Each structure stands twice: as structure tokens, then as C-alpha cells.
Amino acid sequence: MTTPASPASPSAKPVPQPRASYPVFRSIPTRWMDNDMYGHVNNVVYYSWFDTAVNALLIERGALDIHQGSTIGFVVETQCNYFAPLAFPQTVEAGIRVAQAGRSSVRYEVGLFAQGADTAAAQGHFVHVYVDRTTQRPVPLPEALQRVVDSLRA
């Protein structure tokens, strides 16, 4: 995500991004079990929302076949910054964009918003490396996936 932090200045404080920073959104209802003992969503759930939002979008757009496809994505890196609590029974709106794409990898960035909020309650990224299902070796992005990636570029 676009933040003041960079590899040269890792101590810069991340800034929550506005809704307009993301080209596509998915709604995700929270569940009672998502809350922790402090009354807000447990951090592990945020990573699940990242995975759910991106993979559901890829499946819907015909870029990923989790059962029969010859190419699958391995998550090799994740990160999340938290700015405001989310809790059941809120609906979360996950904004999705692509920050970088290489020959066989994609960095997806996800902003998690309370329903209707203008700035992210949390935001982060994960990197998929796409591999052949059988050999588990990196492969070039399939054409259908490349089209979706191009439509999500920041």
C-alpha cells in the first residue's frame, strides 16, 4: 500500500488508505466466533479475510480453478497494519488492488473497511507465487489471471 514506509525507512508509520485507493470491493460478514476476549476481531481473522477476498474474486473472474486448475498460488509473504477495531456484528468491506506483478508472482493489497467507512480499519498485503500444481515450480501467470491482475493495478 502506499504509505510513508519504504524499505529505506521501515520505521515510518503506515497511514490508513481511503476507499478510493481500491478498484474493487467484496463484502464479508463477521461471525460471532471472529471476536476475541477483548471484544474485537482476532488478528488471525484479518489474514483469512485477505485470502477470502482475493481468492473469491479470482475464482469468480475465471482466473483460478482451485479444484482442477494446473496453476495454484502459494502465499510467500503477508503483512497487516491495524488502525481501528472491527467487531461482530459488523460487515467488513475488503478493497482489493495489485501493487506489483512479476512473471510468476503478484502482490495483492487489501484494505479492510467497516461498512460505509471512508478509511481502512486495517490494511495489508500478501504475495502469491503461482506454481504448477504437480511440480510446485513457479510458472508464468496464466492469461486469465494476467487479465484480472491488470484490472486491479493500483
Side-chain angles (χ1 to χ4, degrees):
M1 307 221 166
T2 306
T3 67
S6 70
S9 63
S11 62
K13 185 177 179 180
V15 176
Q17 297 293 293
R19 182 175 287 276
S21 297
Y22 300 92
V24 68
F25 281 83
R26 297 191 60 78
S27 292
I28 303 171
T30 57
R31 305 165 302 172
W32 173 253
M33 66 185 256
D34 293 338
N35 284 2
D36 63 17
M37 63 188 277
Y38 304 108
H40 53 77
V41 171
N42 190 287
N43 63 339
V44 71
V45 176
Y46 288 76
Y47 288 101
S48 174
W49 290 338
F50 289 177
D51 221 8
T52 296
V54 171
N55 285 307
L57 180 70
L58 296 176
I59 291 165
E60 287 172 359
R61 294 194 177 178
L64 179 64
D65 179 346
I66 60 173
H67 300 292
Q68 303 295 325
S70 62
T71 301
I72 57 175
F74 285 168
V75 174
V76 298
E77 178 181 305
T78 61
Q79 176 270 326
C80 186
N81 294 108
Y82 307 92
F83 305 106
L86 294 168
F88 176 81
Q90 288 178 298
T91 295
V92 173
E93 296 173 334
I96 306 164
R97 66 184 179 195
V98 167
Q100 296 174 314
R103 186 182 85 80
S104 61
S105 65
V106 178
R107 177 183 162 125
Y108 297 97
E109 295 182 336
V110 180
L112 300 173
F113 295 77
Q115 189 171 35
D118 291 328
T119 58
Q123 63 198 27
H125 73 267
F126 68 90
V127 177
H128 268 164
V129 171
Y130 290 92
V131 301
D132 177 86
R133 182 186 294 271
T134 304
T135 67
Q136 297 192 350
R137 301 296 306 155
V139 296
L141 302 179
E143 191 175 312
L145 178 58
Q146 186 66 59
R147 281 193 302 274
V148 174
V149 164
D150 290 343
S151 74
L152 296 173
R153 287 195 187 269

